[in-house]
Amino acid sequence: MNQFDEREEWYAFNQETIEALLEDGSQADAVYTIEHHLASNDFDKLEKAAVDAFKAGFEVSDAEELVLDDGGTIFCFDAIVERELEQDALDKDTDALLKIADKCDVHYDGWGTYFMPRDEEAEEDDEDYDD
């Protein structure tokens, strides 16, 4: 089975992550920096995936080399895009990156972003520091 066949599970992940961010008080209408993670133990394959991700419209971070707990080495990069937390757009990005991951034989490992507090929460935080 290829990774693209698991897209429904990633769609559920997308929905759960969006809901969790909003329930925790993150801004609903903000533009977020979404960082999709791709990894491989083969640098050449990862490099080809990075080129394809760039061609697909993503900003691509520099590859990093990580040493795993078992002593193995893995290479990874982020495919970055600016998006609102819209399910359809995130699902389309996920589809594109799953296809790239399958084509290049690398691992797609989901996405992350940063919490963006609502304005009233940011103002409350600022007031706390005025004491």
Side-chain angles (χ1 to χ4, degrees):
M1 178 162 95
N2 62 34
Q3 293 174 85
F4 190 74
D5 291 339
E6 299 171 358
R7 67 188 174 278
E8 293 296 330
E9 293 169 33
W10 285 113
Y11 297 167
F13 170 84
N14 294 348
Q15 181 179 0
E16 292 166 9
T17 303
I18 292 167
E19 288 172 359
L21 283 163
L22 297 178
E23 286 174 13
D24 287 345
S26 201
Q27 293 180 37
D29 58 352
V31 175
Y32 289 78
T33 301
I34 308 292
E35 298 174 349
H36 294 269
H37 314 296
L38 291 106
S40 177
N41 58 1
D42 184 322
F43 184 81
D44 291 333
K45 290 179 180 181
L46 191 73
E47 188 173 45
K48 289 176 184 174
V51 169
D52 285 355
F54 180 78
K55 287 179 180 178
F58 295 89
E59 179 184 333
V60 176
S61 69
D62 292 335
E64 294 181 40
E65 181 178 358
L66 302 173
V67 177
L68 303 174
D69 291 340
D70 66 2
T73 302
I74 193 163
F75 303 96
C76 58
F77 76 90
D78 291 331
I80 304 164
V81 65
E82 301 289 321
R83 292 261 184 263
E84 290 186 6
L85 295 178
E86 296 177 353
Q87 174 92 34
D88 289 341
L90 287 167
D91 289 349
K92 287 178 185 174
D93 290 342
T94 301
D95 284 352
L97 291 167
L98 286 170
K99 288 177 184 176
I100 289 169
D102 283 339
K103 174 185 169 197
C104 298
D105 193 28
V106 302
H107 178 71
Y108 175 75
D109 195 33
W111 60 272
T113 192
Y114 300 93
F115 182 82
M116 307 230 346
R118 294 186 184 119
D119 290 337
E120 63 269 9
E121 290 176 14
E123 289 172 15
E124 288 174 14
D125 289 343
D126 289 343
E127 291 172 9
D128 290 341
Y129 295 110
D130 291 339
D131 293 337

